[in-house]
Amino acid sequence: MSIIYFLIGCSVLLALLFLGAFFWAQRTGQNDDLYTPSMRVLLEDEQPEEKESDRNHF
Amino acid sequence: MTGTKPAVKINCYHCGDICETNLYLADNKQFCCQGCQNVYQILSVSGLCSYYQYNDHPGATRGKLDKRFEYLEEPSIVDELLDFHDDRISIITLYIPHIHCSSCLWLLEQLNRFDPGVHYARVDFLKKQLVVRFDHQKISLRGVVELLFNIGYEPLISLQDIIKKQQKAEKGNLVQRIAVAGFCFGNVMLLSFPEYLGLSVFEQTFRHFFGYINLAFTLPVVFFSGREYFTSAWNNLRKKVLNIDFPLALGIAVLFIRTAAEVLTQTGAGFADTLCGLVFFLLVGKFVQQKTYHHISFERDYRSFFPVAVQTLENGVEKPLPLSELRPGHRILIRHNEIIPADAILLKGQALIDFSFVTGESVPVGKTLGEIIYAGGRQTSESVELEVIKPVSQSYLTQLWNNEAFTRKQDNRMRTFNETVSKYFTVVLVVIALSALLAWVFTDLRRGIDAFTAVLIVACPCALALSTPFTMSAALSIFDRNLFYLKNTAVVEELAKIDTIVLDKTGTITTGNGRNAELQSQLSEEQVRLIYSACANSMHPLSRMICRYFGEQERLPVNDYTEAPGQGITARVNGRELRIGSGKLLFGNYHEAADMTRVQLMIDGQYLGYFGFKHEYRQGMDQVSALEPAYQLFLLSGDQDQERSELLRFFRDSNRMLFGQSPQQKLNFIASVQQLGKKVMMLGDGLNDSGALRQSDLGVAVTDNVNNFSPGSDAILDGRSFDKLPTFLRFSKDTVVIIHLSFLISLTYNIIGLTYAVTGKLSPLIAAVLMPLSTATIISFTTLATHFTAKRRKLL
């Protein structure tokens, strides 16, 4: 049963890792704007490459 | 006949306004003005016409064409505006009021396709902000701003941007504290499971091990996440105020001390899970309360109304000058649509000033040479030259703003139910705890201490602290959805207490520019065309309304066109002589009728009649006046009493209407009503109301465009929702009832818990079940109840 000491150590370490990741995300401003990205994904990227391919045909 | 023919209304491809002429055509698309056409052409040249695919008419109308941004080359101003810069790149955050749809988002993020100097642009949709990173060796800040202006997204750069900087950093910290508390809460719950389920004698060593780990987890919760409760309670105690933070801090402290004592003496498991859960839920409640709507700015002073710089003339040479350096004697040049920043004398040009910021009245006022023009007016005709007579800080407007009465302390103006209750709550709590201690202390000391701490733990007003923020923020989002924006949650409770409503007239109960045009004349089709052609040349709002009234007409060539400010138009159209405007212009000496604004019409010396412009009252004025028995309604207007008889149908009697009030008089009136013990809500829109708005218990700014300037207030009401005002008042009362009910629920839980606690037999298990259960009940009750009542009031 002593393995529990080790397991708890592992789980706490893992949890701390996630906490650290959250802090990092917070510091770098990833949670500053939670609304705009949801709109951004709906916009299509236009393909400027199309023109280049047109050019290749000539 | 009236001469109007059913013209086909065509909407501008760019902005969606009705096109009054067919002059502006490009690619078979019609535009309402040169500005809109220009924007379209810029976009089509850059191949960015997908802009129009995402939404119909996404653009903003572009009445004004020239706009000067020279001041953005002034290094001192640039330095203040930039967020960051080094020798290669600069980063700036710009506020762009027009951002409103996905097209805007798409176009603004493609900014680099207009100019390779722009590295990238990112939109924050809710805050209507654009962050641009650009290479300042390739494109200057002025270039970026001009580019944005050209594509129809004029950034709003005001003096406030320069003066006040950085106000956040608070909220981020709260999120981190919640994260830590949540992290510890989760782990402690897991490690407490053996305690709940029981351990065999063989596994007793684990009990101590788990205990020590739990204790270690409570340390960051108490000293990092919960620290603020201690400091707040201590600060309030020193000010001899008992607020809700005191019982909370007491609860946290007792929980922690008892946990530490039990774990270290190995006599029990303590209440580590309750402690972590408590702090976690409390912080979440605080976060919910703080998360008010930051996309509208409520704290505005005169600085946010003023531009950053002004063009000065020195020996005939124009030079931009930061506003702070403007001194009396400077000659300034104010162009079309610019704001006059300081009291000044008109030296040259035709001034037609729109004082809607100051008075709420949007019809421009003509000024003659040598007249003093007060700060805050917006020039609506051509550019004028002025000489400054007072520095910005001493102008009439600024003085009004800085008036002592206007800037009284806002502290403790709003006393919430929570604050009132928590005072008594704390006293009762301490009394119960002490009597439990006294009851046991002589028979069994250990049990007495147990009972004492248990009372403080169980009665810790977690639910009380949570019910208000959750109810209020649910209510706030419902108001928000109905275009009524409140500054914070305390405003909802204040709204429920109101018994007197004071309304400003112009711009508040009358709509800003939508006046009813009424033609009192018989015109032939030819006459209609003549008048239309003359009026189409003018940017005066009344001329625009006449054009709109006629719809689209053929435009005839216009000669000898002159427009006298405040008077009207004289012009020769198709060889006929037209005079359109005031009676003074047409007949020389003329006494204007007071009941409405009239535009007289004359062709070739023959009087034809007039256009009457009546104030249009806001929709819903009838509903608002129906509030009368329950609420006292007053009218407080800066105008003269021309409309007294007409307004009588809204207000009970003539004594309830006060006309010709100065800003100071408005403020005094509110104060005098308050002295009678009334709770006053003031609705106003102009800067002249700002004193009254602040004096009142609840100041509401009514505006037709929320992103426009409006005076600092507790709430902003969109004009479109004016008719819902009675519903809002009723709903706010419902919300307060919900808070009272949730308080009752929390009290019930407390009484159940206390019966265990006073006997000194509170086990960690009961505490661990009871506390989160009460929290969950309260949160779900308030959220559901608020939504239910909102539905019943038809606000959802």
Side-chain angles (χ1 to χ4, degrees):
Chain A
M1 281 302 275
S2 318
I3 192 73
I4 281 188
Y5 294 110
F6 175 71
L7 285 178
I8 285 178
C10 284
S11 80
V12 169
L13 207 66
L14 203 66
L16 274 174
L17 228 66
F18 279 107
L19 189 68
F22 178 77
F23 269 54
W24 169 73
Q26 193 69 19
R27 288 253 162 85
T28 51
Q30 291 181 36
N31 299 324
D32 285 355
D33 181 8
L34 300 172
Y35 184 78
T36 320
S38 68
M39 296 177 70
R40 202 173 279 137
V41 290
L42 298 176
L43 305 174
E44 276 176 60
D45 286 330
E46 257 180 79
Q47 261 78 55
E49 301 90 81
E50 271 174 42
K51 280 179 193 159
E52 279 168 33
S53 64
D54 281 347
R55 231 174 276 151
N56 293 339
H57 285 293
F58 288 114
Chain B
M1 63 159 269
T2 52
T4 43
K5 63 177 182 189
V8 185
K9 306 265 185 197
I10 294 173
N11 294 85
C12 174
Y13 186 69
H14 179 71
C15 70
D17 273 5
I18 291 160
C19 300
E20 280 154 31
T21 68
N22 52 10
L23 279 180
Y24 308 111
L25 271 174
D27 300 347
N28 280 328
K29 292 170 178 92
Q30 255 211 41
F31 299 92
C32 66
C33 61
Q34 184 70 46
C36 288
Q37 190 190 357
N38 284 353
V39 177
Y40 172 79
Q41 278 163 344
I42 293 168
L43 296 186
S44 82
V45 165
S46 308
L48 286 164
C49 279
S50 309
Y51 178 57
Y52 298 101
Q53 280 167 18
Y54 292 110
N55 292 279
D56 289 336
H57 318 301
T61 186
R62 277 280 304 276
K64 44 199 170 181
L65 285 174
D66 62 324
K67 181 87 189 180
R68 302 295 182 107
F69 294 104
E70 280 105 341
Y71 66 89
L72 290 174
E73 308 231 304
E74 195 67 36
S76 60
I77 294 176
V78 173
D79 279 351
E80 290 295 330
L81 288 173
L82 288 178
D83 298 337
F84 168 84
H85 70 103
D86 60 14
D87 51 342
R88 286 211 45 250
I89 60 157
S90 297
I91 299 175
I92 188 168
T93 308
L94 294 163
Y95 174 67
I96 301 182
H98 184 59
I99 293 180
H100 74 292
C101 68
S102 47
S103 289
C104 307
L105 174 68
W106 178 82
L107 183 67
L108 288 172
E109 297 201 340
Q110 308 276 338
L111 214 58
N112 54 344
R113 285 173 61 185
F114 290 103
D115 193 302
V118 176
H119 286 169
Y120 102 142
R122 269 277 174 277
V123 173
D124 186 325
F125 192 79
L126 291 183
K127 291 185 192 153
K128 295 180 193 275
Q129 279 177 348
L130 178 73
V131 178
V132 187
R133 196 171 71 200
F134 59 97
D135 184 341
H136 56 241
Q137 282 160 357
K138 290 190 188 143
I139 184 169
S140 65
L141 175 62
R142 181 184 166 188
V144 172
V145 172
E146 276 175 347
L147 173 62
L148 286 168
F149 175 73
N150 285 334
I151 59 172
Y153 291 92
E154 185 188 342
L156 195 112
I157 303 171
S158 73
L159 205 56
Q160 201 152 30
D161 291 317
I162 289 188
I163 291 172
K164 73 161 195 195
K165 280 250 161 184
Q166 57 199 215
Q167 47 173 342
K168 53 175 196 173
E170 277 288 306
K171 198 180 126 216
N173 197 5
L174 178 59
V175 171
Q176 289 181 357
R177 282 184 288 142
I178 292 175
V180 169
F183 162 80
C184 296
F185 181 42
N187 281 293
V188 168
M189 284 271 274
L190 205 65
L191 295 170
S192 298
F193 257 108
E195 187 64 38
Y196 303 150
L197 305 175
L199 289 171
S200 64
V201 188
F202 174 64
E203 293 150 335
Q204 282 306 314
T205 45
F206 287 125
R207 182 188 287 263
H208 305 309
F209 174 62
F210 289 149
Y212 286 121
I213 295 189
N214 276 347
L215 189 60
F217 275 124
T218 57
L219 290 174
V221 172
V222 174
F223 295 104
F224 174 68
S225 301
R227 197 185 51 211
E228 204 178 80
Y229 289 101
F230 295 110
T231 52
S232 160
W234 175 241
N235 287 337
N236 278 303
L237 215 57
R238 277 205 309 201
K239 280 189 274 175
K240 297 198 171 117
V241 183
L242 271 185
N243 73 341
I244 196 152
D245 285 342
F246 178 72
L248 288 175
L250 199 64
I252 295 171
V254 166
L255 276 167
F256 179 68
I257 292 168
R258 212 175 141 179
T259 309
E262 287 190 9
V263 169
L264 292 178
T265 57
Q266 305 199 340
T267 48
F271 299 87
D273 50 345
T274 316
L275 170 60
C276 295
L278 175 73
V279 175
F280 175 68
F281 286 124
L282 285 176
L283 290 175
V284 168
K286 197 173 237 179
F287 178 75
V288 168
Q289 187 147 33
Q290 254 184 33
K291 215 187 107 213
T292 36
Y293 301 81
H294 41 239
H295 54 279
I296 302 168
S297 162
F298 289 92
E299 303 297 345
R300 304 186 216 216
D301 64 13
Y302 68 93
R303 286 181 299 223
S304 58
F305 290 74
F306 285 172
V308 173
V310 65
Q311 293 289 104
T312 54
L313 282 170
E314 260 176 58
N315 307 323
V317 184
E318 280 183 39
K319 187 176 161 279
L321 190 75
L323 214 56
S324 52
E325 288 169 30
L326 197 64
R327 300 277 175 271
H330 274 136
R331 255 183 174 234
I332 55 173
L333 189 71
I334 300 291
R335 291 197 177 73
H336 177 71
N337 248 318
E338 287 183 344
I339 287 179
I340 293 151
D343 297 355
I345 294 177
L346 181 62
L347 294 182
K348 202 167 151 194
Q350 294 183 341
L352 197 59
I353 314 289
D354 167 4
F355 278 110
S356 57
F357 283 176
V358 186
T359 62
E361 170 65 58
S362 65
V363 171
V365 185
K367 292 275 177 186
T368 50
L369 296 185
E371 229 179 311
I372 293 177
I373 303 179
Y374 290 116
R378 185 189 282 277
Q379 166 67 341
T380 59
S381 86
E382 63 194 33
S383 55
V384 288
E385 280 179 41
L386 304 149
E387 188 179 304
V388 178
I389 53 167
K390 275 183 189 168
V392 177
S393 59
Q394 283 173 26
S395 69
Y396 169 69
L397 183 69
T398 341
Q399 283 199 327
L400 193 67
W401 210 287
N402 293 334
N403 186 330
E404 211 176 304
F406 283 26
T407 54
R408 75 197 174 85
K409 281 270 173 269
Q410 300 273 308
D411 291 351
N412 289 332
R413 191 172 64 144
M414 294 186 183
R415 190 162 284 282
T416 58
F417 171 70
N418 222 325
E419 287 163 18
T420 327
V421 168
S422 53
K423 196 166 47 181
Y424 301 104
F425 186 89
T426 315
V427 175
V428 172
L429 174 63
V430 173
V431 168
I432 295 178
L434 283 177
S435 29
L437 177 66
L438 278 178
W440 289 108
V441 78
F442 302 109
T443 49
D444 184 350
L445 179 67
R446 157 116 203 156
R447 204 162 177 191
I449 291 170
D450 274 0
F452 176 72
T453 51
V455 168
L456 292 179
I457 289 167
V458 158
C460 185
C462 176
L464 180 62
L466 287 175
S467 65
T468 310
F470 275 91
T471 319
M472 286 308 178
S473 63
L476 221 57
S477 74
I478 284 157
F479 281 127
D480 200 53
R481 204 186 286 201
N482 285 286
L483 309 175
F484 187 34
Y485 307 94
L486 306 183
K487 184 159 126 191
N488 55 41
T489 46
V491 178
V492 184
E493 274 187 62
E494 203 60 29
L495 196 61
K497 286 186 207 153
I498 294 301
D499 54 15
T500 306
I501 300 172
V502 180
L503 298 148
D504 168 56
K505 186 170 75 75
T506 317
T508 305
I509 62 172
T510 61
T511 45
N513 20 10
R515 288 169 173 226
N516 269 334
E518 212 177 296
L519 182 60
Q520 298 291 337
S521 165
Q522 304 280 309
L523 297 176
S524 71
E525 269 188 50
E526 193 213 356
Q527 286 167 332
V528 168
R529 273 202 291 276
L530 291 172
I531 292 165
Y532 176 83
S533 309
C535 288
N537 283 295
S538 165
M539 283 303 284
H540 193 284
L542 293 179
S543 313
R544 310 300 297 172
M545 270 184 257
I546 293 175
C547 287
R548 211 167 295 149
Y549 179 84
F550 285 136
E552 194 173 336
Q553 301 282 337
E554 183 192 348
R555 272 177 80 157
L556 305 167
V558 177
N559 300 318
D560 302 337
Y561 176 86
T562 49
E563 195 176 332
Q567 304 221 359
I569 301 167
T570 40
R572 193 166 272 284
V573 186
N574 225 4
R576 315 279 297 268
E577 199 209 320
L578 268 77
R579 280 166 182 268
I580 302 165
S582 67
K584 221 171 165 186
L585 178 85
L586 271 76
F587 315 114
N589 200 357
Y590 182 80
H591 185 71
E592 295 282 348
D595 59 336
M596 59 167 105
T597 313
R598 289 178 185 187
V599 174
Q600 314 279 358
L601 307 169
M602 189 184 265
I603 297 181
D604 286 336
Q606 188 198 348
Y607 178 65
L608 296 171
Y610 63 88
F611 264 104
F613 292 93
K614 269 194 178 173
H615 275 296
E616 196 179 320
Y617 295 110
R618 270 192 206 282
Q619 272 194 331
M621 207 33 224
D622 292 317
Q623 281 101 302
V624 173
S625 66
L627 285 169
E628 179 62 65
Y631 296 84
Q632 280 194 316
L633 254 62
F634 288 96
L635 180 83
L636 209 54
S637 172
D639 292 355
Q640 295 313 309
D641 60 348
Q642 300 144 4
E643 293 171 68
R644 185 184 282 269
S645 55
E646 223 172 315
L647 283 161
L648 245 149
R649 66 190 163 107
F650 299 129
F651 295 91
R652 185 166 263 189
D653 61 60
S654 219
N655 298 333
R656 294 281 182 83
M657 294 188 275
L658 288 99
F659 291 94
Q661 299 284 303
S662 74
Q664 186 67 46
Q665 281 175 312
K666 287 187 174 187
L667 191 156
N668 295 345
F669 175 77
I670 303 270
S672 69
V673 177
Q674 280 174 328
Q675 274 176 0
L676 299 172
K678 300 282 185 193
K679 288 275 181 189
V680 186
M681 173 160 82
M682 169 82 199
L683 287 99
D685 71 326
L687 287 193
N688 61 342
D689 301 321
S690 58
L693 288 174
R694 287 199 206 182
Q695 175 65 44
S696 62
D697 297 286
L698 184 77
V700 181
V702 181
T703 170
D704 287 306
N705 182 355
V706 169
N707 296 312
N708 268 354
F709 291 117
S710 55
S713 55
D714 299 311
I716 297 177
L717 175 65
D718 193 302
R720 283 171 288 171
S721 279
F722 188 73
D723 57 330
K724 290 188 192 152
L725 194 66
T727 324
F728 291 149
L729 288 166
R730 252 173 264 139
F731 181 62
S732 67
K733 284 198 186 323
D734 296 343
T735 317
V736 171
V737 171
I738 292 172
I739 292 181
H740 292 182
L741 282 178
S742 65
F743 179 66
L744 272 183
I745 297 177
S746 117
L747 217 56
T748 317
Y749 274 114
N750 269 345
I751 289 167
I752 298 172
L754 279 174
T755 49
Y756 281 103
V758 286
T759 58
K761 279 182 183 163
L762 178 76
S763 75
L765 188 62
I766 294 174
V769 171
L770 209 59
M771 304 266 294
L773 193 67
S774 71
T775 309
T777 328
I778 294 295
I779 293 174
S780 40
F781 168 74
T782 55
T783 315
L784 288 176
T786 317
H787 276 258
F788 176 73
T789 33
K791 271 225 167 78
R792 207 167 52 114
R793 298 280 180 215
K794 300 200 169 56
L795 288 174
L796 263 183

